[in-house]
Amino acid sequence: MKIPNPSLCKKLYLHTISALCLATPLIAQRSLPAYQPNPAELAASYKRMTLMDSLTKGSVLKAQVQPNWLADGQSFWYRNVLKDSLTEYLVVKPGENKRTPAFDNAKVAAALSKAYDSTFSATKLWISDIHFEPEKHSIILQSKGKWFAYDTEAGTAQKIAKPDLPKPKETGWTRQLSRWGRFRADSVSPDRQTKAFVRNGNIYLGKKDGKDGKQLTYDGNPLKPYGELSWSPDGRYLVCYRIDERDERQVSIIFSSLPNTTRGEVKTRGYAQPGDEFTSYEMHVIDVQTGKSVKVQSELIDFFNAPVIRWRKGDATHFTYEKADRGHQRFRVIEVDATSGATKHIIDEKTDTFIYQNMIYTHYQPDNHEIIWVSEKDGWRHIYLVDEQTGKIKNQVTKGEWVVRDIDSVDTQKREVWFKASGMNANEDPYHIHYYRIKFDGTGLVKLTDHAKATHQLTFSPDRAFYIDTYSTMTSAPVSELRKTADASLVMKLETADISQYLALGFKLPEIFKAKGRDGQTDIWGIVYRPSNFDPKKKYPIIENIYAGPQDSFVPKAFRHYGEMQSMAELGFIVVQMDGMGTYNRSKAFHDVCWKNLADAGFPDRIAWMKALAEKYPQVDSTRVGVYGTSAGGQNSLGALLFHPGFYDAAVSACGCHDNRVDKQWWNEQWMGYPVGKHYDEQSNVTNAAKLQGDLLLIVGEVDTNVPPESTYRVADALIKANKEFDLLVVPGMGHSDGGIYGRRKKRDFFVQKLLGVNPPNRNKVSAPALTTLGK
């Protein structure tokens, strides 16, 4: 008898055991009966859902400390709302490590009641503002929209006029204003003696009243005028533009059911769509003394408005401006020589995919001729220090496989950047927000929030000596602490949220679940909600809450105790949400999946994630899957049925941008690119409507000014022409929405019918209030 190879036997044994282990959850899943409520159970589920929408309000207490810093800048007060809406007011003095009651509620309430001839509750006293004047033995209070002076020695109060109260001063910090504010032209010279103005398309100089003007240009005309005038700081040069204006094309909406009318009303508004023309600006510089005009040697500005001009400090002949090219693949900071119009690129970033326009960050430091610049040029979003005169990158301030989420502030004197980031800490959710500060040269990194694996929100004292850190996760209640900024050391714990009332209602907190994405390597993070009366001996359909817009990540990370996902789960569903590839706040490669590819919507990652969830839990039925979403999520939810019908069975799509050519220009060209190519058509839900296989409910507000309602109507038209079955709910008078209370009710009823296989309550016959209302 031949003896088998022991090594081969071991391999076969391990392979068999592994296969059995993998199969066991599937076998268990098949062996569990599907949850399918009878009419009485379904009615009870609806009743409980509606009741919980009401009972959960106010069931989480002390979730955040909102500090109100006093004029001395060294202390603050905050309010706690306790059980049964009771209130308490506390004063904290960080330097003394003290926290004390702000006052005696009963005494203040009695004094205010007498002073205002109105009843103020001692236990539910609501004070909007507090200012202490200890030297006068007085507290200035605001309540019920009135101001009072409370005498702390006499225990009396009098009503007073609105006081002019001092505020604490912030020192040493600069915050960058929005880069996207419209350019503000100033036609009056710096010495305020001369006014530049436009007449019949040309520029004139004159006194401030505009009379007796000297003509500077002669080639302008009303069809292509000069405009957007601004002076150099010394009054020598005038920057201006030759403007080729294009009217923004219009979209129309119909108000069908206006009160006291018998006709629908049509309203139009400007609405740029992908491919539409922009007004363009050709930059010129005029020497006011000589009248010489030079055209700036750069391309037309044909995207957004005229840019902000920044004259170099100590140099009256050079200025810079920023230019983002249409198509979102190039961003520049351009230097201009005012004497010749010659240009030089200080920053010139190019990419084969896209540069996320809204997240470009520049902070100019004129004294040092430096620019703080945030870019994804190395594959992760990081901070760079650039020489504003040479364009040389002096230093990459931050680096690593993690992302800078936001710049909090810049300390020019200490040469520090304060910022938020995600993903720096190993073995932690890479979306958690942490706070840091770092020197311009990349040294001296201080971690302000590493004491807790959670997502953090910080508020600083006016002098930034202290901060209040409120941190939490979806599975841990918020904690608020007072800490020292110098070393992040704990001064005192202020509050821990009380979630006992919420848990007493029978809810469990959602599960944080991660699984590998399409590449088998990248972690995809999401959350799972189960019914409060979850039966582990039954299996439940999945409903995915989807929003795959590339502008952000969308799975909540901070504590949320109740919302629509839990509310829907109460009817007998496993409700999930995850962020797939193509969304933001991970690596550039993770984000780039969306480029000219919005129809992808991270579906390969989402499906793999849900299959992994079902593999782990036999109660999760991945053979019955619904999906819902609003706006970009509306596009995604219908796309789930059109492009992945083998996995998704039912979808509710609200006000979806179903065709990226119909939606707003600035959003769609950012991700789908410019010019508009065939990929726009190939990925359109309208073009692909004939592929529909599952059950579909379309919802749209008839006066949606965000995504034109015609986007949904065009899908409906294509479905009708393809002889497809679907439901359509048009809500009169409603704008960009998921359908409001009525639409959310129809969504729940739809999934109950399509996934649970039972009929929802007939509200035209059933009069029970519990079945006719839904919380907002």
Side-chain angles (χ1 to χ4, degrees):
M1 181 178 175
K2 188 176 181 179
I3 300 176
N5 184 311
S7 178
L8 178 61
C9 288
K10 182 177 180 181
K11 288 181 180 179
L12 289 172
Y13 172 77
L14 292 174
H15 177 77
T16 303
I17 292 298
S18 177
L20 287 172
C21 290
L22 289 173
T24 301
L26 299 179
I27 295 171
Q29 178 175 333
R30 287 195 294 271
S31 66
L32 290 179
Y35 173 75
Q36 190 174 47
N38 59 41
E41 291 171 331
L42 183 64
S45 293
Y46 270 91
K47 183 176 181 180
R48 174 173 174 78
M49 176 193 69
T50 305
L51 184 62
M52 291 302 103
D53 286 347
S54 175
L55 292 181
T56 53
K57 294 176 181 177
S59 61
V60 171
L61 307 173
K62 301 192 290 187
Q64 187 173 12
V65 170
Q66 182 62 52
N68 300 274
W69 288 91
L70 299 170
D72 60 9
Q74 304 300 310
S75 56
F76 65 90
W77 68 270
Y78 69 94
R79 177 195 308 112
N80 274 333
V81 178
L82 309 176
K83 187 177 180 180
D84 299 324
S85 299
L86 306 185
T87 58
E88 65 177 359
Y89 297 85
L90 300 161
V91 173
V92 179
K93 296 182 178 180
E96 301 176 20
N97 197 10
K98 288 183 179 180
R99 180 180 57 172
T100 57
F103 43 70
D104 186 310
N105 278 34
K107 291 181 179 179
V108 168
L112 297 185
S113 298
K114 188 174 182 180
Y116 191 42
D117 195 23
S118 176
T119 301
F120 289 77
S121 169
T123 56
K124 298 181 180 181
L125 183 63
W126 193 264
I127 302 296
S128 305
D129 204 352
I130 305 173
H131 293 268
F132 294 90
E133 297 181 336
E135 69 284 354
K136 297 180 181 179
H137 308 290
S138 176
I139 304 176
I140 306 300
L141 304 167
Q142 184 186 31
S143 185
K144 296 186 179 182
K146 304 296 180 182
W147 287 92
F148 301 87
Y150 174 73
D151 188 316
T152 56
E153 290 188 333
T156 58
Q158 60 179 345
K159 192 160 64 120
I160 60 174
K162 182 179 179 180
D164 184 15
L165 296 167
K167 295 181 179 179
K169 295 181 179 180
E170 293 190 11
T171 57
W173 303 96
T174 58
R175 295 178 183 272
Q176 180 78 346
L177 299 176
S178 171
R179 296 181 59 256
W180 310 111
R182 182 175 174 81
F183 168 75
R184 299 181 65 181
D186 186 359
S187 58
V188 179
S189 62
D191 63 8
R192 316 311 289 172
Q193 298 303 308
T194 307
K195 180 179 177 65
F197 59 94
V198 176
R199 179 188 295 161
N200 297 322
N202 282 300
I203 302 173
Y204 292 75
L205 287 182
K207 298 302 180 182
K208 287 198 295 183
D209 59 11
K211 296 180 180 179
D212 303 320
K214 171 187 174 183
Q215 189 167 352
L216 288 181
T217 66
Y218 294 88
D219 56 341
N221 59 71
L223 296 178
K224 198 171 181 181
Y226 282 91
E228 304 287 7
L229 316 178
S230 65
W231 294 78
S232 62
D234 64 355
R236 174 71 181 269
Y237 297 100
L238 191 67
V239 181
C240 57
Y241 300 87
R242 189 85 185 276
I243 303 172
D244 188 2
E245 192 163 357
R246 292 289 184 269
D247 291 333
E248 193 171 48
R249 300 178 69 179
Q250 306 287 301
V251 295
S252 301
I253 56 176
I254 301 176
F255 290 77
S256 67
S257 305
L258 291 173
N260 305 314
T261 66
T262 58
R263 291 176 175 85
E265 183 176 325
V266 179
K267 292 189 177 181
T268 60
R269 64 186 293 262
Y271 191 96
Q273 293 178 331
D276 286 357
E277 287 187 293
F278 273 99
T279 293
S280 62
Y281 301 83
E282 182 183 81
M283 185 183 288
H284 294 255
V285 182
I286 301 173
D287 186 323
V288 175
Q289 292 181 3
T290 66
K292 178 185 175 182
S293 175
V294 295
K295 177 184 174 296
V296 172
Q297 297 168 22
S298 185
E299 305 96 323
L300 290 173
I301 297 163
D302 61 352
F303 187 51
F304 285 154
N305 303 308
V308 174
I309 302 299
R310 294 179 175 87
W311 288 88
R312 182 164 294 153
K313 188 171 182 179
D315 181 349
T317 61
H318 290 84
F319 65 86
T320 60
Y321 70 96
E322 297 183 0
K323 186 178 190 303
D325 288 5
R326 190 169 186 182
H328 301 274
Q329 294 184 290
R330 191 180 190 185
F331 168 73
R332 284 172 283 176
V333 175
I334 300 174
E335 176 197 272
V336 178
D337 183 337
T339 64
S340 65
T343 58
K344 180 174 71 174
H345 296 153
I346 303 302
I347 292 175
D348 189 359
E349 182 178 19
K350 302 175 185 177
T351 177
D352 292 331
T353 56
F354 60 87
I355 297 170
Y356 186 0
Q357 182 80 6
N358 286 356
M359 297 304 289
I360 296 171
Y361 180 92
T362 51
H363 186 285
Y364 292 81
Q365 301 177 93
D367 290 339
N368 299 316
H369 301 299
E370 293 174 329
I371 305 172
I372 297 289
W373 174 45
V374 177
S375 169
E376 292 182 289
K377 64 191 305 291
D378 76 345
W380 302 83
R381 190 167 191 256
H382 282 300
I383 304 169
Y384 296 81
L385 182 66
V386 179
D387 187 312
E388 186 246 353
Q389 293 176 307
T390 66
K392 180 181 177 181
I393 294 178
K394 300 174 72 171
N395 192 54
Q396 183 171 348
V397 181
T398 62
K399 60 184 66 176
E401 294 187 354
W402 48 273
V403 296
V404 172
R405 294 285 291 268
D406 191 18
I407 302 298
D408 176 84
S409 54
V410 176
D411 187 336
T412 304
Q413 294 180 346
K414 293 183 178 180
R415 297 182 66 78
E416 291 179 337
V417 183
W418 298 54
F419 65 97
K420 306 175 190 178
S422 293
M424 191 184 296
N425 301 328
N427 303 315
E428 185 177 353
D429 186 328
Y431 294 95
H432 282 167
I433 294 176
H434 286 272
Y435 285 69
Y436 307 89
R437 71 174 184 269
I438 192 169
K439 295 187 179 299
F440 285 4
D441 63 3
T443 65
L445 178 69
V446 175
K447 301 178 179 181
L448 297 174
T449 55
D450 266 16
H451 45 274
K453 290 183 177 181
T455 201
H456 296 255
Q457 181 179 344
L458 268 56
T459 55
F460 292 93
S461 63
D463 61 0
R464 296 233 162 186
F466 299 92
Y467 61 92
I468 292 93
D469 178 11
T470 298
Y471 59 87
S472 66
T473 70
M474 288 294 286
T475 58
S476 61
V479 175
S480 294
E481 297 175 339
L482 178 65
R483 291 180 172 267
K484 289 183 179 179
T485 306
D487 57 6
S489 61
L490 180 66
V491 177
M492 70 174 73
K493 182 173 287 187
L494 297 173
E495 303 291 348
T496 298
D498 181 358
I499 63 173
S500 59
Q501 291 184 68
Y502 177 71
L503 297 178
L505 294 171
F507 294 111
K508 292 185 178 179
L509 300 179
E511 177 184 359
I512 299 171
F513 186 77
K514 69 175 179 178
K516 299 301 180 184
R518 69 186 76 186
D519 59 2
Q521 298 179 345
T522 305
D523 285 334
I524 303 299
W525 290 75
I527 52 175
V528 184
Y529 287 86
R530 295 172 174 83
S532 57
N533 58 354
F534 177 76
D535 184 350
K537 297 181 180 179
K538 299 285 181 65
K539 59 182 179 180
Y540 296 83
I542 304 172
I543 295 179
E544 180 187 355
N545 173 13
I546 190 170
Y547 190 99
Q551 73 268 26
D552 208 341
S553 54
F554 303 98
V555 175
K557 299 301 173 181
F559 184 82
R560 292 185 185 181
H561 66 289
Y562 190 80
E564 186 182 40
M565 293 178 68
Q566 182 65 63
S567 178
M568 290 183 67
E570 291 304 295
L571 294 178
F573 302 107
I574 303 294
V575 185
V576 301
Q577 184 181 14
M578 73 291 302
D579 284 311
M581 292 185 187
T583 52
Y584 195 43
N585 297 322
R586 300 284 287 275
S587 69
K588 184 73 167 73
F590 190 101
H591 199 195
D592 278 347
V593 171
C594 74
W595 175 238
K596 295 185 177 181
N597 189 33
L598 287 184
D600 178 273
F603 281 122
D605 313 300
R606 298 170 186 278
I607 292 170
W609 187 94
M610 284 182 272
K611 286 183 175 179
L613 183 70
E615 185 175 310
K616 182 176 181 179
Y617 299 109
Q619 300 86 3
V620 177
D621 189 353
S622 60
T623 67
R624 294 183 293 165
V625 181
V627 58
Y628 72 93
T630 300
S631 194
Q635 178 185 23
N636 305 145
S637 54
L638 174 52
L641 294 185
L642 300 181
F643 303 115
H644 301 277
F647 185 78
Y648 292 96
D649 303 292
V652 177
S653 168
C655 63
C657 38
H658 296 290
D659 189 310
N660 297 103
R661 296 165 294 188
V662 177
D663 193 31
K664 61 194 76 65
Q665 177 279 328
W666 62 266
W667 195 89
N668 292 274
E669 284 189 12
Q670 169 71 79
W671 315 115
M672 292 292 280
Y674 174 82
V676 174
K678 65 178 183 178
H679 61 291
Y680 275 80
D681 182 70
E682 292 168 347
Q683 297 181 48
S684 165
N685 287 349
V686 178
T687 304
N688 291 281
K691 297 178 181 178
L692 180 67
Q693 294 184 36
D695 296 306
L696 172 66
L697 168 60
L698 295 170
I699 300 175
V700 65
E702 69 168 2
V703 293
D704 190 340
T705 57
N706 186 332
V707 178
E710 63 199 66
S711 182
T712 297
Y713 299 153
R714 289 170 185 266
V715 168
D717 179 56
L719 291 169
I720 290 168
K721 290 175 178 175
N723 201 30
K724 293 293 183 177
E725 296 292 333
F726 68 100
D727 294 317
L728 172 64
L729 171 62
V730 179
V731 185
M734 180 162 283
H736 195 62
S737 168
D738 61 355
I741 294 175
Y742 188 78
R744 288 190 286 276
R745 193 180 84 189
K746 296 295 289 184
K747 173 171 58 183
R748 288 160 166 77
D749 290 354
F750 180 84
F751 285 132
V752 164
Q753 184 180 52
K754 303 301 182 183
L755 296 180
L756 294 181
V758 295
N759 290 323
N762 185 334
R763 294 176 181 81
N764 292 346
K765 294 183 179 179
V766 179
S767 59
L771 299 184
T772 59
T773 61
L774 271 180
K776 293 183 180 180

